[in-house]
Amino acid sequence: MTINSAGAVGKQPLTLSWINVAFFGTFHALAILAPWCFSWSALGVMIFLHWLFGSIGICLGYHRLLTHRSLQVPKWLEYGLAIVGALAMQGGPIFWVAGHRLHHAHTEDPDKDPYSSQRGFWWSHMLWIFYPRAEFFEEQHYKRFAPELYRDPFYRWLNRNFLPLQIPVGVLLYALGGWSFVIYGVFLRAVVLWHTTWFINSAAHLRGYRSFQLKDNSRNLWWAAILTYGEGWHNNHHAHPNVAKAGYSWWEVDMTWWAIKTLQTLGLAKKVVMPPTSKASS
């Protein structure tokens, strides 16, 4: 199955990846088993891992640290945060960082932004994964946009081996709580975390308020910020991408920022980039 590249008349049509459809479809199908495997402890495991892999791994590790270099941490901690990010199953660090840097460099461009909202809600939410373009998904192409990570053998290894890391996670969860923990801690957690992250690409470019009048349509969306531990203050972020703090006003709760402040207090985070003085709040 193919579709035409929206906004790119005459360019090669996009081809549906049945491998990606099968992979994500299987996880969604297994996540549906959650009501039959319910326990409060399993739900607690899912919520904890959603926070750990989402806020600490993706938001802090992949996004604010590796992509934008909004802070500096010791190399051992940087590697640890990258591993936690890889456990979220949103791709390896080089893939994720390269794609997000392209998103900022060419925000909403229908051809250069991997998940451009100009192609519509469902494209920016998930169809960009089901119709993968070589320049965004093949390592020989996207590595150019995260060259410092690609030079590091550890990040090259992690970029190619992030999926097998789910095996020890699944084994540990099974040992702790059986299949209930596996369904909630691996499959339901992955599905919920995928969609909450994808809402930043889709919903946060369509709904919400704007504190900064930018050329793109990024928005501050309160419910997306709650689901993503602060990433939903997306208009703030697009105005100052290299700032470690996403919430600028007192009501803009940013749980990932709390984690960064904790690291800073412990002396583990240095050179933390702050918002312009007029926009920063404690």
Side-chain angles (χ1 to χ4, degrees):
M1 182 184 297
T2 60
I3 63 174
N4 289 326
S5 178
V9 178
K11 294 198 174 183
Q12 185 176 2
L14 301 173
T15 302
L16 182 65
S17 170
W18 288 107
I19 293 176
N20 290 358
V21 170
F23 176 81
F24 286 96
T26 298
F27 267 73
H28 280 73
L30 291 171
I32 294 173
L33 297 175
W36 290 273
C37 303
F38 177 80
S39 71
W40 288 109
S41 56
L43 180 62
V45 166
M46 191 277 286
I47 293 172
F48 171 74
L49 292 181
H50 185 280
W51 165 79
L52 179 64
F53 298 165
S55 179
I56 305 304
I58 295 296
C59 304
L60 199 168
Y62 270 21
H63 189 205
R64 304 189 197 188
L65 176 60
L66 295 184
T67 301
H68 297 295
R69 296 296 177 182
S70 302
L71 64 152
Q72 290 184 5
V73 299
K75 185 59 72 173
W76 63 265
L77 181 56
E78 178 180 312
Y79 285 168
L81 291 170
I83 291 172
V84 176
L87 290 171
M89 284 195 295
Q90 295 186 13
I94 301 173
F95 163 80
W96 203 101
V97 168
H100 195 70
R101 286 177 179 174
L102 278 168
H103 170 67
H104 276 276
H106 307 286
T107 306
E108 298 177 356
D109 184 290
D111 295 309
K112 297 179 181 180
D113 181 349
Y115 24 87
S116 171
S117 62
Q118 292 299 311
R119 291 176 177 262
F121 175 89
W122 286 109
W123 175 269
S124 58
H125 192 74
M126 61 192 301
L127 288 181
W128 68 280
I129 298 171
F130 292 160
Y131 290 91
R133 294 168 56 185
E135 60 267 39
F136 303 139
F137 281 84
E138 293 182 3
E139 186 175 307
Q140 65 266 32
H141 298 299
Y142 67 69
K143 69 182 183 182
R144 296 176 297 157
F145 303 101
E148 82 284 11
L149 298 185
Y150 192 77
R151 287 193 294 267
D152 189 320
F154 170 77
Y155 284 122
R156 292 200 302 272
W157 176 85
L158 188 59
N159 199 63
R160 294 165 184 166
N161 295 282
F162 69 94
L163 277 179
L165 294 180
Q166 290 300 307
I167 296 174
V169 172
V171 170
L172 177 61
L173 289 173
Y174 183 80
L176 292 174
W179 286 112
S180 176
F181 274 30
V182 174
I183 294 296
Y184 274 80
V186 175
F187 298 103
L188 183 61
R189 178 267 306 168
V191 168
V192 174
L193 185 52
W194 285 334
H195 285 283
T196 51
T197 301
W198 296 340
F199 276 133
I200 304 304
N201 302 335
S202 55
H205 279 264
L206 295 173
R207 297 286 186 270
Y209 64 91
R210 291 162 62 83
S211 298
F212 300 91
Q213 295 305 311
L214 307 176
K215 292 181 180 179
D216 61 64
N217 200 40
S218 58
R219 305 290 176 129
N220 292 325
L221 189 57
W222 68 269
W223 58 263
I226 292 173
L227 293 174
T228 58
Y229 310 99
E231 300 295 88
W233 310 120
H234 203 48
N235 178 250
N236 295 347
H237 174 60
H238 270 262
H240 303 285
N242 67 325
V243 167
K245 187 178 186 181
Y248 290 1
S249 299
W250 66 265
W251 67 84
E252 294 175 343
V253 176
D254 181 1
M255 288 182 65
T256 303
W257 168 246
W258 301 347
I260 294 172
K261 281 293 292 181
T262 300
L263 291 177
Q264 190 176 37
T265 300
L266 294 173
L268 293 173
K270 302 183 184 299
K271 297 186 178 180
V272 178
V273 182
M274 294 297 294
T277 304
S278 62
K279 286 291 181 181
S281 62
S282 60

